[in-house]
Amino acid sequence: MSRFTFKYGLCFLITLFLSMLITDSHAQINAKLAEYYKRRANKYLVKSPQLHEYFSINEAGITLYPSPLHRKQRKPEFFVSWDELSVLKDVFEFSDREYQYQVYCTKGVRPFTSDTRMSINILKGITNITPTTIMKPLSGIRVAIDPGHIAADMKMAKVEGRFIDMKLEDGTKIQLREGDLTLTTAYVLKDSLEKYGAEVYMTRQGAVNAGASKKTYNVWKKKHLQSKLYGQKLTKKQMMHILYHSPESRIYRQYYLQDDLEMRADSINYFKPDVTVVLHYNADELNSGWKKPSRRNFSMVFVPGSFMAKELKSKRDRYDFLRILISDYTKDSYYLSKFIMREFEETLNVPAVGPHNEPRYLKTVGMSLGNGIYARNLRLCRLLNSPICYGEPLLQDNEYELRALNGNDFKTNKISPRVIEVADSYLKGIMNYIQYQKNQNTP
């Protein structure tokens, strides 16, 4: 055998050996990715085992199916390989929901096109924002605040079903409107965040019974309800019944609220925040009618996830499931909520809800992540494309909280010290989360 033949054979064997090593290493990486996302799906998303009939995660990548039958027939709706995962994560991070959904629908099981890759690179360039100053701890940080509900007066609060109106044994009259409490909290928090250098966006402003559209509920009902009903293909009889006989609370929940939440989500996503907090105040589910004080008090927070058995039937639901599964915002939401939850306990002295006092509805719709943090498929949790903490810091009808919150009225500039403490707990939690993220990204 000639020296040339020997060298050629040796080179071939070395090349083959290196190729096998690379292939084996690539297979190991894919296997680890598959295990990681399986664990993530089970931790945050899969409330019902039936959901497994709509997706699969293996060494090849992530596959979604329109129905259990399609899975049996091996007819997927969408597939992303592990090699393309970073591209899909960029789609979900740097584009709006409509473009994301369009990509989900058009990609299918094919690889990403060069046009899609180019579009995402352009969007990444546009969204890289350089802070103008580093003198304040939150400089360059964008925070979105969503004050839940809209009621500026008791009449609207009763339409929403978010109020407490009771008289205590000593004669003290208690009137609380959740929409007023959240709005006041939002303004106090906004002022504090801006002092620390943050850029802040609020989804609603002013005590005017209006949400993100800035139109009051009554104006919306007069100008838009009928056209919305036309779009639902109702009979004339059904439409007339809704317009003239439906309770205000039903019209608010089924029609106004759905539009309002979509607008809130769209405006927050357009703002592209680093942090989003959704502000709510809770009440004791066991205290029927909220006509007397409750001795119970606890706090809880929600992050995206916990899809129920029938919540993957539409293509949009499956797109949202995939986005929450692979997005870094899901894990970030957990850590943001963890820091805020800690402040609810320490600043407010309100314990986290636990297995011994967990509300019944959470057992049905939530997935416990520990210490009062739950994955839950609330509308805003599903629609928002940023790290989110959906907070419920206390029970309004608790015997102590009733008195502490009473008298708060944003319209007359009366701010309860307890509301300031709630805003302060969010501020501390956000600042600790931002510092945590900076430490994570420091070499």
Side-chain angles (χ1 to χ4, degrees):
M1 183 171 59
S2 69
R3 184 177 300 175
F4 175 79
T5 304
F6 175 76
K7 286 183 177 179
Y8 178 81
L10 183 60
C11 289
F12 174 77
L13 288 173
I14 292 172
T15 303
L16 181 62
F17 177 70
L18 290 174
S19 176
M20 290 172 64
L21 280 178
I22 293 170
T23 301
D24 186 54
S25 175
H26 190 69
Q28 289 179 5
I29 291 171
N30 288 351
K32 287 180 179 179
L33 282 169
E35 286 304 311
Y36 171 77
Y37 283 101
K38 284 178 183 177
R39 288 197 304 271
R40 188 157 164 167
N42 290 328
K43 178 178 180 179
Y44 291 104
L45 289 154
V46 181
K47 177 66 176 174
S48 167
Q50 296 176 33
L51 295 182
H52 287 290
E53 298 178 345
Y54 288 89
F55 75 97
S56 64
I57 303 174
N58 55 34
E59 287 78 3
I62 302 172
T63 308
L64 283 98
Y65 302 88
S67 70
L69 178 61
H70 284 85
R71 175 163 184 169
K72 289 179 181 178
Q73 296 174 339
R74 297 184 180 180
K75 295 180 178 179
E77 172 179 84
F78 184 91
F79 170 74
V80 60
S81 68
W82 298 122
D83 292 338
E84 292 187 310
L85 184 65
S86 61
V87 179
L88 185 59
K89 291 179 75 169
D90 285 343
V91 170
F92 290 154
E93 181 173 356
F94 296 106
S95 63
D96 60 41
R97 284 180 57 82
E98 284 309 309
Y99 182 78
Q100 294 169 18
Y101 183 60
Q102 178 186 340
V103 169
Y104 181 89
C105 292
T106 56
K107 178 189 182 301
V109 298
R110 297 184 298 273
F112 283 108
T113 65
S114 57
D115 287 345
T116 300
R117 292 173 182 268
M118 186 181 299
S119 297
I120 292 303
N121 285 332
I122 292 171
L123 289 171
K124 285 174 68 175
I126 293 172
T127 53
N128 285 332
I129 300 168
T130 304
T132 56
T133 175
I134 56 172
M135 296 301 292
K136 296 181 178 180
L138 295 181
S139 292
I141 300 299
R142 291 182 165 196
V143 180
I145 305 174
D146 177 54
H149 307 293
I150 66 170
D153 53 53
M154 189 55 74
K155 181 179 179 181
M156 188 66 227
K158 289 181 177 179
V159 171
E160 290 188 298
R162 294 294 184 269
F163 69 95
I164 291 177
D165 188 2
M166 73 169 72
K167 194 172 185 178
L168 303 182
E169 289 184 356
D170 64 3
T172 302
K173 187 170 178 59
I174 303 290
Q175 283 198 328
L176 301 177
R177 308 179 308 278
E178 187 177 349
D180 174 66
L181 295 174
T182 61
L183 186 66
T184 309
T185 307
Y187 271 104
V188 175
L189 177 57
K190 178 177 184 289
D191 183 62
S192 299
L193 288 166
E194 288 176 340
K195 287 176 180 176
Y196 282 97
E199 182 182 353
V200 181
Y201 170 75
M202 285 173 51
T203 56
R204 68 181 180 96
Q205 300 180 19
V208 290
N209 290 336
S213 70
K214 299 182 174 59
K215 295 175 183 173
T216 67
Y217 167 73
N218 287 331
V219 168
W220 173 89
K221 181 183 174 185
K222 183 178 179 180
K223 292 187 175 181
H224 301 287
L225 176 58
Q226 192 164 341
S227 61
K228 187 171 181 65
L229 294 176
Y230 274 124
Q232 298 195 350
K233 299 179 181 178
L234 301 172
T235 66
K236 186 176 180 179
K237 184 178 179 180
Q238 288 172 324
M239 188 179 298
M240 291 301 104
H241 178 79
I242 292 171
L243 287 172
Y244 299 106
H245 301 290
S246 281
E248 290 289 343
S249 57
R250 182 189 170 195
I251 294 174
Y252 171 81
R253 285 195 310 271
Q254 292 189 3
Y255 302 103
Y256 177 87
L257 182 59
Q258 300 309 313
D259 282 359
D260 185 43
L261 291 178
E262 290 279 351
M263 291 187 69
R264 292 182 192 224
D266 287 345
S267 63
I268 290 173
N269 290 338
Y270 182 79
F271 179 65
K272 296 188 182 300
D274 301 285
V275 168
T276 297
V277 286
V278 180
L279 310 183
H280 283 263
Y281 283 76
N282 212 344
D284 188 354
E285 64 158 355
L286 300 182
N287 187 13
S288 179
W290 305 310
K291 293 298 182 184
K292 63 183 187 300
S294 169
R295 291 187 176 184
R296 303 206 309 163
N297 201 12
F298 48 74
S299 55
M300 63 182 72
V301 292
F302 301 120
V303 301
S306 192
F307 281 63
M308 305 282 284
K310 297 181 180 180
E311 292 181 336
L312 286 185
K313 289 197 170 182
S314 79
K315 184 176 281 192
R316 276 199 177 270
D317 288 337
R318 293 188 291 276
Y319 140 71
D320 278 322
F321 179 91
L322 177 65
R323 180 176 55 79
I324 295 170
L325 173 64
I326 72 167
S327 173
D328 291 334
Y329 295 146
T330 304
K331 183 174 66 175
D332 292 341
S333 295
Y334 169 78
Y335 283 106
L336 169 64
S337 297
K338 185 177 180 180
F339 284 112
I340 290 175
M341 191 71 218
R342 183 185 300 168
E343 296 304 325
F344 288 169
E345 293 182 292
E346 296 180 3
T347 301
L348 300 180
N349 198 29
V350 177
V353 69
H356 64 287
N357 59 357
E358 184 181 69
R360 288 168 294 187
Y361 64 86
L362 283 183
K363 298 180 188 297
T364 303
V365 301
M367 295 172 64
S368 176
L369 303 176
N371 198 45
I373 305 171
Y374 290 82
R376 191 176 173 194
N377 197 18
L378 293 163
R379 195 165 183 82
L380 283 182
C381 285
R382 189 169 68 251
L383 295 177
L384 291 179
N385 198 30
S386 58
I388 171 181
C389 173
Y390 190 115
E392 304 265 16
L394 52 82
L395 299 185
Q396 302 169 70
D397 55 336
N398 168 263
E399 54 191 354
Y400 163 76
E401 304 293 1
L402 282 168
R403 296 180 184 273
L405 295 168
N406 198 32
N408 190 88
D409 186 57
F410 182 78
K411 283 192 294 187
T412 57
N413 203 31
K414 295 177 181 177
I415 302 177
S416 158
R418 188 59 166 166
V419 167
I420 295 174
E421 290 175 350
V422 172
D424 195 38
S425 66
Y426 278 105
L427 172 67
K428 291 176 181 177
I430 291 169
M431 293 188 70
N432 289 334
Y433 166 74
I434 294 300
Q435 187 58 52
Y436 165 79
Q437 289 289 51
K438 288 179 180 178
N439 292 341
Q440 291 292 106
N441 295 323
T442 301

